[in-house]
Amino acid sequence: MLDKNGIAKRIAKEIKDGYYVNLGIGIPTLVANFIPDGINVVLQSENGLLGMGPFPFEGEEDADLINAGKQTITTLPGSSIFDSAMSFGMIRSQKIDLTILGAMEVSENGDIANWKIPGKMVKGMGGAMDLVASAKNIIVAMQHVNKAGESKLLPKCSLPLTGVNCIRKVVTELAVLDILPEGGFKLIERAPGVSVDYIKQVTAGKLFADDGAPEMILD
Amino acid sequence: MLDKNGIAKRIAKEIKDGYYVNLGIGIPTLVANFIPDGINVVLQSENGLLGMGPFPFEGEEDADLINAGKQTITTLPGSSIFDSAMSFGMIRSQKIDLTILGAMEVSENGDIANWKIPGKMVKGMGGAMDLVASAKNIIVAMQHVNKAGESKLLPKCSLPLTGVNCIRKVVTELAVLDILPEGGFKLIERAPGVSVDYIKQVTAGKLFADDGAPEMILD
Amino acid sequence: MINKVVTGADEAIRDIKDGSTLMLGGFGLCGIPENCITALVKKGVKRLTCISNNAGVDDFGIGLMLQQRQVKKMISSYVGENAEFERQLLSGELEVELIPQGTLATRCMAAGYGMPAIFTPAGVGTEVAEGKEIRNFNGKDYLMEYAFDADFALVKAWKGDTTGNLIFRSTSRNFNPVMAMAGKITIAEVEELVEPGTLDPDHIHTPGVYVHRIFQGANYEKRIEQRTVRPRN
Amino acid sequence: MINKVVTGADEAIRDIKDGSTLMLGGFGLCGIPENCITALVKKGVKRLTCISNNAGVDDFGIGLMLQQRQVKKMISSYVGENAEFERQLLSGELEVELIPQGTLATRCMAAGYGMPAIFTPAGVGTEVAEGKEIRNFNGKDYLMEYAFDADFALVKAWKGDTTGNLIFRSTSRNFNPVMAMAGKITIAEVEELVEPGTLDPDHIHTPGVYVHRIFQGANYEKRIEQRTVRPRN
């Protein structure tokens, strides 16, 4: 079973040289720490930056330079700044090669719910609806089961949707799964020590796992 | 009867302090030479400049700095440069206070034709259709009659239209005329030495001139 | 030279009235019109509709206006980090319309570019799409979203000149240029007000034609919301 | 570091084929991709559809491609000053679609911004509106116009870095940034190619994400179409 860093590490392997990548808040942010050497990527922050660098050294924080999580960050050689309309313009026109974001639920046909829980204070969707509706390549980083032990990979999302039929790949603490164009989760890899049977047990949506799946290699 | 400079001079009197103005090619360009002292205006050139300055001194021409007529020009303190989409964005959103352009024909309901003569090589509408469709305040600088002595102020344009119901004021070699919201040319001023009767005679569109009109004062 | 300079925030916001619709630039607390907000709190105008990506924090930004119950409605993409906001929302004092961030930005741009509506895929198949026209282009569904209609846009720039030209610094640019284009009256506050000719025409982000009033802000706190740093090695 | 640099114009345009649809930046002869045009003439590709505000003059710009009869169709707002163009048009060899300049620019922007269509009042009530959907918003009629779909965009910038970031100089900016955003493959030629970190992130007009290939042009004539000067007093 993977911890958050493990999920991030596994997702980092999906990043190809030359990619422009948008990382959501939470586990997706951790992915930046695991990008392999020799893989050149540019991180987009949807508040208006391409080429997001690491956090600043203490004392060098700049109130004018933050990421979409409102954290102080830095630029890198080659960075560019633009306004919010252009930022979502490049998202909508699919110039971003890969989007990684978290989810509360994903359905077997690629729907995603990650912004609203009825009865709880709703903070808003931020840029998530734009990202999931536009991106050609979305990977979801999420927990396979909730605290009550219930599957979050469902036949149909129970929570209000963020986007429909848009997710292609899910990486959880237990597995890597593709979402098939015709519907259903296809087991691609298992986390170390996790059995196919267990994954079947905690995947409520349609699962294709009869061929088994290799254990993932993280290093 | 006014010459081209006279028409430009008369139109210049319509410019108010603080105006952003777009000048078309031909007589409208001449208007810049007659803007009264103390009247601050900013000239927009739709290829992407606010704050168009005079022609450069000889030897200081810059191939990268031209106006919409492709003439070498200069910038002024306060000038700004932008792309063509923003240029027409500010035109469409009516940030330009006054547009002055030429016409082949204008109709009594404010239609304008100035881009195409059937049977002749058509060079294109350039930015004229955007300007006439968007601007809140358009003055047309034109000849009252064509070379055959026929009126160009018509009940209905005979040439393909550039825009419909958009012109509010026309300044010709003979007169200043408003186009009334309900239709018709209202004579406002006569050029020096031109009679109301003559204007009636060469205005094919509906003309309201029974109250007479003062002779224009140019200086 | 056209001169847009006003004496300060109080004069700039003089005609913002109870019930006005405002756009406020900024992302989180980054690039917000601090001095205009202070003046609005002082003036005490009520029942405002605020179009802003976020709603500030309890004691800064739009949060200050919420404390004084000046806001009737927020139109935002994300409104976390604000307890008073949450209280007013749950009590029904405050109305909130949540819209996708890209839709928010593009509806501003549409207003500035004289486009009455735009098409975006954001929100298709979600509750955001309810009641909206859906249209298919090339096999993909889009929502038609309308340009915003705001009485005032309040933006914050780094430098500006007296004719209203603006330059933004780093990610404090965010929504400011698109809102600057979109206000019926656009008020710009700047950290440094300079004479025309000081700014390179090629570097100007917002041409002065979009700006109606400009002033140098008396004070900038520029608060940081999430101070994240790394150790020196 | 992502590196978009190609050796020169010939490599940059290597996969432009007979029948390709190209966008070419520039206004008149100002800011045109001179080196790409030279390479296209040399390569001799035919039946091109060219989206460009103008069509050059007889012996410069797109005019050079017209001389070689490489252009099947021009989509432009104004095509004067070109005798060979006129000859081909009248003989039926060349197809021309004239569209309003703002519509041209905004259809490029729409492509770059992922908006399948936009609304503009330009052309309502004229022959430009024929066959197009007209829609009324707030009492005013607008035409719905579609985003362009171009295989390649060829743009010319002043400076660019190896990651594709571009800065334009003065009014040579014109259509270049909106076309840069709109090409499936965007090729940028620059007067000066610099290392990443040289250009101020706040000054970049076209972020590198939009640019697929970049090179420093071997030669820039930068011809002036209308040399207008005033006397020194």
Side-chain angles (χ1 to χ4, degrees), chain C residues 61-96:
Chain C
I62 292 175
L64 298 170
M65 292 159 65
L66 290 163
Q67 293 285 355
Q68 302 301 316
R69 304 190 190 173
Q70 295 179 270
V71 182
K72 185 186 71 173
K73 182 176 181 179
M74 284 297 311
I75 300 176
S76 304
S77 87
Y78 191 82
V79 293
E81 343 325 338
N82 198 318
E84 174 62 17
F85 182 98
E86 190 166 345
R87 194 199 62 69
Q88 290 183 25
L89 179 60
L90 296 175
S91 73
E93 288 167 67
L94 180 66
E95 193 184 335
V96 177

Short mmCIF file of all heavy atoms in Angstrom, two decimals, chain C residues 61-96:
data_model
loop_
_atom_site.label_atom_id
_atom_site.label_comp_id
_atom_site.label_asym_id
_atom_site.label_seq_id
_atom_site.Cartn_x
_atom_site.Cartn_y
_atom_site.Cartn_z
N GLY C 61 -8.43 41.94 2.80
CA GLY C 61 -9.07 41.82 1.49
C GLY C 61 -10.58 41.99 1.63
O GLY C 61 -11.07 42.74 2.49
N ILE C 62 -11.31 41.30 0.78
CA ILE C 62 -12.78 41.43 0.78
C ILE C 62 -13.35 41.01 2.13
O ILE C 62 -14.43 41.44 2.51
CB ILE C 62 -13.37 40.62 -0.39
CG1 ILE C 62 -12.97 41.29 -1.72
CG2 ILE C 62 -14.90 40.53 -0.30
CD1 ILE C 62 -13.39 40.53 -2.95
N GLY C 63 -12.60 40.20 2.88
CA GLY C 63 -13.02 39.83 4.24
C GLY C 63 -13.35 41.05 5.10
O GLY C 63 -14.28 41.01 5.92
N LEU C 64 -12.63 42.14 4.89
CA LEU C 64 -12.90 43.37 5.65
C LEU C 64 -14.28 43.92 5.33
O LEU C 64 -14.97 44.46 6.20
CB LEU C 64 -11.82 44.42 5.36
CG LEU C 64 -10.39 44.03 5.75
CD1 LEU C 64 -9.39 45.04 5.19
CD2 LEU C 64 -10.27 43.93 7.27
N MET C 65 -14.69 43.79 4.08
CA MET C 65 -16.02 44.26 3.67
C MET C 65 -17.09 43.31 4.18
O MET C 65 -18.21 43.73 4.51
CB MET C 65 -16.09 44.40 2.16
CG MET C 65 -15.20 45.54 1.62
SD MET C 65 -14.79 45.35 -0.14
CE MET C 65 -16.41 45.52 -0.88
N LEU C 66 -16.75 42.04 4.24
CA LEU C 66 -17.71 41.07 4.78
C LEU C 66 -17.95 41.33 6.27
O LEU C 66 -19.08 41.25 6.75
CB LEU C 66 -17.18 39.64 4.56
CG LEU C 66 -17.17 39.16 3.11
CD1 LEU C 66 -16.27 37.94 2.95
CD2 LEU C 66 -18.59 38.84 2.62
N GLN C 67 -16.89 41.65 6.97
CA GLN C 67 -17.02 41.96 8.41
C GLN C 67 -18.04 43.08 8.63
O GLN C 67 -18.78 43.07 9.61
CB GLN C 67 -15.66 42.44 8.98
CG GLN C 67 -14.56 41.38 9.04
CD GLN C 67 -14.73 40.36 10.14
OE1 GLN C 67 -15.64 40.48 10.97
NE2 GLN C 67 -13.90 39.32 10.13
N GLN C 68 -18.05 44.05 7.72
CA GLN C 68 -18.98 45.19 7.84
C GLN C 68 -20.31 44.90 7.15
O GLN C 68 -21.14 45.80 7.03
CB GLN C 68 -18.35 46.44 7.23
CG GLN C 68 -17.02 46.86 7.85
CD GLN C 68 -17.14 47.14 9.33
OE1 GLN C 68 -18.09 47.80 9.77
NE2 GLN C 68 -16.21 46.59 10.13
N ARG C 69 -20.49 43.68 6.71
CA ARG C 69 -21.73 43.27 6.02
C ARG C 69 -22.08 44.20 4.85
O ARG C 69 -23.22 44.64 4.70
CB ARG C 69 -22.88 43.20 7.01
CG ARG C 69 -22.48 42.26 8.13
CD ARG C 69 -23.56 41.91 9.06
NE ARG C 69 -22.95 41.20 10.19
CZ ARG C 69 -23.57 40.84 11.28
NH1 ARG C 69 -24.86 41.10 11.41
NH2 ARG C 69 -22.95 40.21 12.23
N GLN C 70 -21.08 44.49 4.07
CA GLN C 70 -21.29 45.37 2.91
C GLN C 70 -21.61 44.60 1.64
O GLN C 70 -21.99 45.18 0.64
CB GLN C 70 -20.02 46.21 2.68
CG GLN C 70 -19.72 47.17 3.82
CD GLN C 70 -18.44 47.95 3.56
OE1 GLN C 70 -17.34 47.54 3.91
NE2 GLN C 70 -18.58 49.08 2.91
N VAL C 71 -21.42 43.28 1.71
CA VAL C 71 -21.54 42.47 0.51
C VAL C 71 -22.85 41.69 0.52
O VAL C 71 -23.13 40.96 1.46
CB VAL C 71 -20.34 41.51 0.37
CG1 VAL C 71 -20.44 40.69 -0.92
CG2 VAL C 71 -19.03 42.26 0.44
N LYS C 72 -23.62 41.87 -0.54
CA LYS C 72 -24.87 41.12 -0.68
C LYS C 72 -24.60 39.81 -1.39
O LYS C 72 -25.17 38.78 -1.06
CB LYS C 72 -25.86 41.95 -1.50
CG LYS C 72 -27.23 41.33 -1.61
CD LYS C 72 -28.13 42.13 -2.57
CE LYS C 72 -27.67 41.93 -4.01
NZ LYS C 72 -28.54 42.53 -5.01
N LYS C 73 -23.75 39.85 -2.39
CA LYS C 73 -23.51 38.68 -3.22
C LYS C 73 -22.06 38.60 -3.67
O LYS C 73 -21.48 39.60 -4.09
CB LYS C 73 -24.42 38.74 -4.46
CG LYS C 73 -24.29 37.54 -5.38
CD LYS C 73 -25.28 37.61 -6.52
CE LYS C 73 -25.14 36.38 -7.42
NZ LYS C 73 -26.10 36.40 -8.52
N MET C 74 -21.51 37.38 -3.57
CA MET C 74 -20.17 37.13 -4.09
C MET C 74 -20.28 36.25 -5.33
O MET C 74 -20.99 35.24 -5.31
CB MET C 74 -19.31 36.37 -3.08
CG MET C 74 -18.76 37.14 -1.90
SD MET C 74 -17.61 38.49 -2.31
CE MET C 74 -16.46 37.70 -3.43
N ILE C 75 -19.55 36.61 -6.38
CA ILE C 75 -19.42 35.75 -7.56
C ILE C 75 -17.95 35.38 -7.65
O ILE C 75 -17.10 36.23 -7.93
CB ILE C 75 -19.91 36.49 -8.82
CG1 ILE C 75 -21.38 36.88 -8.66
CG2 ILE C 75 -19.71 35.63 -10.07
CD1 ILE C 75 -21.95 37.71 -9.80
N SER C 76 -17.64 34.14 -7.35
CA SER C 76 -16.26 33.70 -7.14
C SER C 76 -16.09 32.28 -7.63
O SER C 76 -17.06 31.57 -7.87
CB SER C 76 -15.90 33.75 -5.65
OG SER C 76 -16.12 35.04 -5.12
N SER C 77 -14.82 31.85 -7.70
CA SER C 77 -14.57 30.44 -8.00
C SER C 77 -14.19 29.66 -6.75
O SER C 77 -14.35 28.44 -6.71
CB SER C 77 -13.47 30.30 -9.07
OG SER C 77 -12.18 30.27 -8.51
N TYR C 78 -13.71 30.38 -5.72
CA TYR C 78 -13.25 29.67 -4.52
C TYR C 78 -13.28 30.64 -3.35
O TYR C 78 -12.70 31.72 -3.41
CB TYR C 78 -11.82 29.14 -4.73
CG TYR C 78 -11.40 28.18 -3.64
CD1 TYR C 78 -11.79 26.84 -3.67
CD2 TYR C 78 -10.62 28.62 -2.57
CE1 TYR C 78 -11.40 25.96 -2.66
CE2 TYR C 78 -10.24 27.74 -1.56
CZ TYR C 78 -10.63 26.42 -1.62
OH TYR C 78 -10.26 25.55 -0.61
N VAL C 79 -13.95 30.23 -2.27
CA VAL C 79 -14.19 31.18 -1.18
C VAL C 79 -13.78 30.62 0.19
O VAL C 79 -14.35 30.97 1.21
CB VAL C 79 -15.69 31.56 -1.13
CG1 VAL C 79 -16.06 32.37 -2.35
CG2 VAL C 79 -16.56 30.32 -1.02
N GLY C 80 -12.78 29.74 0.20
CA GLY C 80 -12.35 29.18 1.48
C GLY C 80 -11.63 30.20 2.36
O GLY C 80 -11.57 31.38 2.03
N GLU C 81 -11.10 29.72 3.44
CA GLU C 81 -10.24 30.51 4.35
C GLU C 81 -10.94 31.74 4.91
O GLU C 81 -10.34 32.79 5.07
CB GLU C 81 -8.93 30.99 3.74
CG GLU C 81 -8.27 30.48 2.48
CD GLU C 81 -8.36 29.03 2.10
OE1 GLU C 81 -8.60 28.16 2.98
OE2 GLU C 81 -8.20 28.73 0.93
N ASN C 82 -12.21 31.63 5.25
CA ASN C 82 -12.90 32.83 5.71
C ASN C 82 -14.11 32.44 6.56
O ASN C 82 -15.17 32.10 6.04
CB ASN C 82 -13.34 33.63 4.47
CG ASN C 82 -13.67 35.06 4.81
OD1 ASN C 82 -14.31 35.31 5.83
ND2 ASN C 82 -13.23 35.99 3.97
N ALA C 83 -13.94 32.52 7.88
CA ALA C 83 -14.97 32.05 8.80
C ALA C 83 -16.22 32.94 8.78
O ALA C 83 -17.35 32.44 8.82
CB ALA C 83 -14.41 31.98 10.23
N GLU C 84 -16.01 34.25 8.68
CA GLU C 84 -17.15 35.18 8.67
C GLU C 84 -17.97 34.97 7.40
O GLU C 84 -19.20 35.02 7.42
CB GLU C 84 -16.65 36.63 8.77
CG GLU C 84 -17.73 37.70 8.63
CD GLU C 84 -18.80 37.66 9.72
OE1 GLU C 84 -18.57 37.03 10.76
OE2 GLU C 84 -19.88 38.25 9.49
N PHE C 85 -17.28 34.72 6.33
CA PHE C 85 -17.93 34.41 5.06
C PHE C 85 -18.86 33.21 5.25
O PHE C 85 -20.03 33.24 4.89
CB PHE C 85 -16.87 34.09 4.01
CG PHE C 85 -17.42 33.80 2.65
CD1 PHE C 85 -17.44 34.80 1.69
CD2 PHE C 85 -17.93 32.56 2.32
CE1 PHE C 85 -17.95 34.54 0.42
CE2 PHE C 85 -18.45 32.30 1.07
CZ PHE C 85 -18.46 33.29 0.12
N GLU C 86 -18.32 32.16 5.85
CA GLU C 86 -19.07 30.93 6.04
C GLU C 86 -20.29 31.17 6.92
O GLU C 86 -21.39 30.69 6.64
CB GLU C 86 -18.14 29.88 6.67
CG GLU C 86 -18.73 28.48 6.70
CD GLU C 86 -17.69 27.41 7.01
OE1 GLU C 86 -16.47 27.70 6.94
OE2 GLU C 86 -18.11 26.29 7.34
N ARG C 87 -20.11 31.98 7.96
CA ARG C 87 -21.22 32.28 8.88
C ARG C 87 -22.35 32.99 8.12
O ARG C 87 -23.52 32.59 8.21
CB ARG C 87 -20.72 33.16 10.03
CG ARG C 87 -21.68 33.25 11.22
CD ARG C 87 -21.39 34.45 12.12
NE ARG C 87 -21.51 35.74 11.44
CZ ARG C 87 -22.66 36.28 11.02
NH1 ARG C 87 -23.80 35.63 11.19
NH2 ARG C 87 -22.66 37.45 10.41
N GLN C 88 -21.98 34.01 7.35
CA GLN C 88 -23.00 34.78 6.62
C GLN C 88 -23.68 33.93 5.56
O GLN C 88 -24.87 34.08 5.29
CB GLN C 88 -22.38 36.02 5.97
CG GLN C 88 -21.96 37.08 6.98
CD GLN C 88 -21.42 38.33 6.30
OE1 GLN C 88 -21.75 38.62 5.17
NE2 GLN C 88 -20.58 39.06 7.02
N LEU C 89 -22.91 33.04 4.96
CA LEU C 89 -23.47 32.19 3.92
C LEU C 89 -24.50 31.23 4.52
O LEU C 89 -25.63 31.11 4.04
CB LEU C 89 -22.35 31.39 3.25
CG LEU C 89 -22.78 30.42 2.15
CD1 LEU C 89 -23.49 31.15 1.02
CD2 LEU C 89 -21.58 29.67 1.59
N LEU C 90 -24.11 30.60 5.66
CA LEU C 90 -25.01 29.61 6.29
C LEU C 90 -26.25 30.30 6.87
O LEU C 90 -27.33 29.72 6.89
CB LEU C 90 -24.25 28.83 7.36
CG LEU C 90 -23.10 27.97 6.80
CD1 LEU C 90 -22.31 27.31 7.92
CD2 LEU C 90 -23.62 26.91 5.83
N SER C 91 -26.08 31.55 7.30
CA SER C 91 -27.23 32.26 7.88
C SER C 91 -28.12 32.87 6.81
O SER C 91 -29.18 33.41 7.12
CB SER C 91 -26.72 33.37 8.81
OG SER C 91 -26.18 34.43 8.03
N GLY C 92 -27.68 32.81 5.57
CA GLY C 92 -28.50 33.35 4.49
C GLY C 92 -28.34 34.84 4.27
O GLY C 92 -29.01 35.43 3.42
N GLU C 93 -27.43 35.47 5.02
CA GLU C 93 -27.21 36.92 4.82
C GLU C 93 -26.49 37.19 3.50
O GLU C 93 -26.63 38.25 2.90
CB GLU C 93 -26.31 37.47 5.94
CG GLU C 93 -26.97 37.57 7.29
CD GLU C 93 -25.92 37.84 8.38
OE1 GLU C 93 -25.32 38.92 8.36
OE2 GLU C 93 -25.69 36.93 9.22
N LEU C 94 -25.69 36.20 3.08
CA LEU C 94 -24.83 36.38 1.93
C LEU C 94 -25.20 35.39 0.84
O LEU C 94 -25.40 34.20 1.11
CB LEU C 94 -23.37 36.14 2.36
CG LEU C 94 -22.29 36.28 1.31
CD1 LEU C 94 -22.18 37.71 0.81
CD2 LEU C 94 -20.94 35.84 1.91
N GLU C 95 -25.29 35.90 -0.37
CA GLU C 95 -25.57 35.04 -1.52
C GLU C 95 -24.24 34.76 -2.22
O GLU C 95 -23.40 35.65 -2.32
CB GLU C 95 -26.51 35.82 -2.45
CG GLU C 95 -27.17 35.02 -3.54
CD GLU C 95 -27.99 35.94 -4.45
OE1 GLU C 95 -28.41 37.03 -3.99
OE2 GLU C 95 -28.19 35.59 -5.62
N VAL C 96 -24.07 33.53 -2.66
CA VAL C 96 -22.82 33.18 -3.33
C VAL C 96 -23.11 32.46 -4.63
O VAL C 96 -23.93 31.54 -4.67
CB VAL C 96 -21.94 32.27 -2.44
CG1 VAL C 96 -20.67 31.87 -3.19
CG2 VAL C 96 -21.59 32.97 -1.16
#
